[in-house]
């Protein structure tokens, strides 16, 4: 098989087992990678201890395996990479691009909801309960999505100094995701459309790191009967280990790739192999589903 330089990834947070919505995301990124003879990496985003559930990462990996979603290379655990994240922050602090911020959520809300750079010139010292923000001198105006086209970023948001370490001392998602994707050489990020806004902000992170952002493809979200995104917070049921095929077929149909009759009895791994050969991300019905 011809190896290409495509590297994709799936990056679940271990706040609980995978549900149908996460299966759709995993499948979309897997098929996009495999249709391009690329690699598909898995990264466990266990960087947010208050939200991490003991044992969830193991369950997620087992679920991926059961659904035939076999990953390439070693699993990356963000919790093992904090000194790398800190080294970036230290460098920005030295360069004067990062600074401590003591604004509370309530204060920011009272000032209009978007952080206005209030502490940028205050030269606050390191202290507990202070976040660290970084200032991007040349903010991005938006980014290109493979399905949706140009996604602009509201100027006020684009200019917002991003939190890189939270006031509770934990590293911010927008920082770690960019460092990890860069480090792994990810060429395209396929994830849910709930992350469209963070993506635009992450583009600023790439600029700070003087790196080119990867390609982006945001999948439509699976919603419950009330129109809410299926999520662990909304208590979406975990994938049912007794009905693997049904759920796999339903997730493929959601992505507008219904399984051809002759492949309906294939094992998950073999089915995914076949589906990768006919996968075309442009078929995804994102306009109706969003
Ligand atoms: N860990 C994030 C989540 O589960 C996904 C982050 C990403 O794909 O960049 O929602
Ligand atoms: Zn502040």
């Amino acid at each position: 098989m011809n190896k290409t330089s495509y590297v994709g990834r799936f990056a679940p947070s271990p706040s609980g087992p995978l549900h149908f919505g996460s299966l759709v995301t995993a499948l979309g990124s897997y098929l996009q990678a495999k249709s391009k003879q690329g690699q598909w990496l898995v990264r466990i985003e266990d960087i947010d201890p208050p939200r991490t559930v003991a044992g969830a990462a193991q369950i997620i990996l087992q679920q991926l395996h059961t659904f035939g979603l076999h990953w390439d290379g070693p699993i990356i655990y963000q919790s093992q990479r904090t000194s790398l994240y800190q080294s970036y922050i230290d460098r920005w602090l030295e360069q004067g691009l990062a600074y401590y911020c003591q604004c509370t959520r309530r204060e920011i809300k009272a000032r209009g909801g978007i952080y206005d750079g209030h502490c940028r010139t205050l030269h606050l010292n390191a202290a507990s309960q202070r976040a660290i923000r970084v200032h991007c001198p040349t903010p991005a105006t938006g980014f290109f999505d493979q399905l949706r086209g140009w996604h602009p970023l509201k100027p006020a948001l684009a200019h917002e100094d991003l939190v890189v370490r939270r006031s509770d001392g934990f590293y911010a998602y927008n920082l770690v995701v960019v460092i990890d994707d860069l480090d792994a050489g990810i060429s395209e990020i396929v994830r849910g459309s709930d992350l469209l806004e963070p993506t635009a902000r992450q583009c600023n992170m790439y600029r700070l790191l003087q790196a080119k952002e990867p390609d982006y493809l945001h999948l439509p979200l699976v919603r419950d009967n009330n129109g809410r995104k299926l999520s662990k917070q909304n208590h979406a049921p975990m994938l049912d280990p007794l009905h693997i095929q049904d759920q796999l077929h339903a997730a493929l149909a959601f992505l507008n790739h219904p399984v051809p009759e002759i492949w309906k009895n294939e094992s998950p791994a073999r089915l995914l192999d076949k589906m990768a050969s006919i996968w075309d991300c442009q078929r995804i019905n994102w306009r109706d589903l969003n």
Side-chain angles (χ1 to χ4, degrees):
M1 198 188 280
N2 238 345
K3 282 261 177 249
T4 61
S5 51
Y6 187 103
V7 187
R9 51 56 153 196
F10 176 58
S13 305
S15 51
L18 301 180
H19 50 74
F20 184 72
S22 15
L23 175 62
V24 165
T25 307
L27 263 179
S29 63
Y30 180 89
L31 291 171
Q32 183 70 358
K34 294 301 162 182
S35 70
K36 296 179 191 291
Q37 283 79 47
Q39 286 181 282
W40 186 68
L41 312 184
V42 171
R43 177 171 76 230
I44 300 292
E45 303 214 310
D46 54 353
I47 195 66
D48 194 350
R51 290 185 52 207
T52 298
V53 173
Q58 261 336 92
I59 296 173
I60 288 172
L61 295 176
Q62 182 58 48
Q63 288 176 304
L64 291 176
H65 182 76
T66 313
F67 278 85
L69 291 156
H70 301 310
W71 55 88
D72 299 298
I75 306 277
I76 303 282
Y77 291 87
Q78 289 185 324
S79 58
Q80 295 169 3
R81 295 165 60 79
T82 51
S83 53
L84 177 69
Y85 306 143
Q86 186 62 43
S87 70
Y88 280 90
I89 295 177
D90 288 341
R91 201 170 68 207
W92 286 326
L93 284 168
E94 267 164 41
Q95 294 170 339
L97 287 170
Y99 60 89
Y100 288 90
C101 165
Q102 62 183 0
C103 302
T104 62
R105 207 168 281 192
R106 185 186 299 175
E107 286 165 345
I108 295 171
K109 208 166 166 204
R111 298 201 296 260
I114 288 182
Y115 185 69
D116 54 3
H118 183 266
C119 300
R120 199 187 296 147
T121 51
L122 296 185
H123 305 290
L124 298 169
N125 297 326
S128 65
Q129 300 307 312
R130 283 183 183 165
I132 300 178
R133 290 181 183 265
V134 67
H135 175 63
C136 178
T138 55
T141 53
F143 68 93
F144 189 82
D145 182 273
Q146 300 300 316
L147 288 179
R148 296 153 202 265
W150 181 252
H151 185 85
L153 181 59
K154 293 186 203 85
L157 273 184
H159 285 84
E160 190 174 37
D161 293 345
L162 291 171
V163 172
V164 286
R165 213 176 70 197
R166 303 176 347 200
S167 58
D168 59 10
F170 298 122
Y171 296 92
Y173 160 68
N174 282 322
L175 171 78
V176 299
V177 78
V178 169
I179 292 177
D180 289 343
D181 286 332
L182 259 180
D183 199 46
I186 301 300
S187 59
E188 182 177 66
I189 294 177
V190 180
R191 58 187 173 193
S193 64
D194 53 327
L195 294 170
L196 278 164
E197 200 158 272
T199 296
R201 290 155 168 251
Q202 286 162 29
C203 290
N204 283 342
M205 231 21 116
Y206 283 96
R207 290 186 169 216
L208 276 162
L209 297 168
Q210 293 172 330
K212 193 193 150 318
E213 69 261 20
D215 291 344
Y216 289 105
L217 193 164
H218 288 84
L219 299 169
L221 300 179
V222 182
R223 297 179 188 278
D224 64 16
N225 293 337
N226 302 316
R228 294 179 312 180
K229 172 196 176 225
L230 286 196
S231 72
K232 291 160 196 165
Q233 286 88 331
N234 290 341
H235 310 294
M238 76 180 274
L239 291 165
D240 176 355
L242 299 178
H243 296 94
I244 303 294
Q245 271 190 341
D246 292 349
Q247 292 165 100
L248 197 52
H249 295 179
L252 286 161
F254 179 86
L255 292 166
N256 203 19
H257 284 71
V259 177
E261 212 45 54
I262 40 159
W263 295 349
K264 287 232 157 115
N265 292 321
E266 295 288 0
S267 71
R270 285 184 49 127
L271 173 62
L272 294 186
D273 211 33
K274 293 181 185 296
M275 292 307 292
S277 70
I278 58 164
W279 172 258
D280 172 8
C281 68
Q282 296 303 330
R283 269 168 61 183
I284 298 170
N285 202 355
W286 64 273
R287 281 190 184 82
D288 293 340
L289 295 163
N290 215 18

